Amino acid sequence: MKNKRINIVIGVLVLLLVGWMIKGTFTQPGIEDLKSGFKEVARYRNDNNTGPIQYVFAVTMKDTLSSEMISYGNFKPHHKGGNTKVYFFLEGSKVPTTVTGGKQNFSPAFNSSWIKLYEKSAMGNVSLTDNPSQQ
């Protein structure tokens, strides 16, 4: 009788623990929870799967909170040994509809439009750089 009661208590505890883990899995914060109204306009990923993988994104936003820009960039995909760049533009400004890899990621006509650049390097270092043409 005592052994049966212990098994029931352990079973209930295991069910509670599994339920708590499932709840935590499905209620993780995501991009939708950020308040700056981010909207991805363009994205690029190179086809080279053997060398460094590059991700480039052009994103519009309503507010210029730096902490949210870093959070948004951290949600974007990154590959070990690769590079991830996210260009932030204010909503309503000129935004490129296509981006490419390399050093210049879009037409120079948009160089004065972006506000900040989030970059995650191959070593995982994160930086948020202001646009030098806006200073």
Side-chain angles (χ1 to χ4, degrees):
M1 187 72 171
K2 188 176 181 181
N3 198 16
K4 188 175 182 181
R5 188 175 277 160
I6 290 174
N7 286 341
I8 291 173
V9 169
I10 290 174
V12 168
L13 288 174
V14 167
L15 285 175
L16 287 173
L17 182 63
V18 168
W20 180 57
M21 290 180 354
I22 289 173
K23 177 188 172 272
T25 300
F26 290 109
T27 58
Q28 291 291 315
I31 290 176
E32 308 83 30
D33 298 322
L34 299 175
K35 296 174 178 60
S36 293
F38 295 103
K39 188 175 186 183
E40 185 179 304
V41 177
R43 71 178 356 211
Y44 169 81
R45 182 199 185 276
N46 65 334
D47 296 329
N48 186 2
N49 284 330
T50 58
I53 294 176
Q54 281 189 315
Y55 291 100
V56 181
F57 300 93
V59 176
T60 62
M61 62 186 178
K62 295 176 185 174
D63 194 8
T64 59
L65 293 173
S66 294
S67 63
E68 287 213 340
M69 289 182 208
I70 292 173
S71 296
Y72 182 87
N74 288 338
F75 280 124
K76 288 302 189 182
H78 179 73
H79 189 272
K80 183 176 94 175
N83 189 353
T84 300
K85 292 181 183 179
V86 181
Y87 289 92
F88 293 101
F89 297 82
L90 270 179
E91 197 173 61
S93 65
K94 294 188 323 180
V95 181
T97 55
T98 59
V99 289
T100 60
K103 293 189 187 258
Q104 186 170 345
N105 301 116
F106 45 79
S107 169
F110 299 103
N111 280 346
S112 62
S113 298
W114 63 273
I115 297 171
K116 292 198 184 249
L117 168 64
Y118 167 93
E119 190 165 6
K120 191 170 197 176
S121 70
M123 297 303 291
N125 299 328
V126 172
S127 65
L128 191 63
T129 309
D130 291 327
N131 185 347
S133 67
Q134 290 195 351
Q135 294 176 352

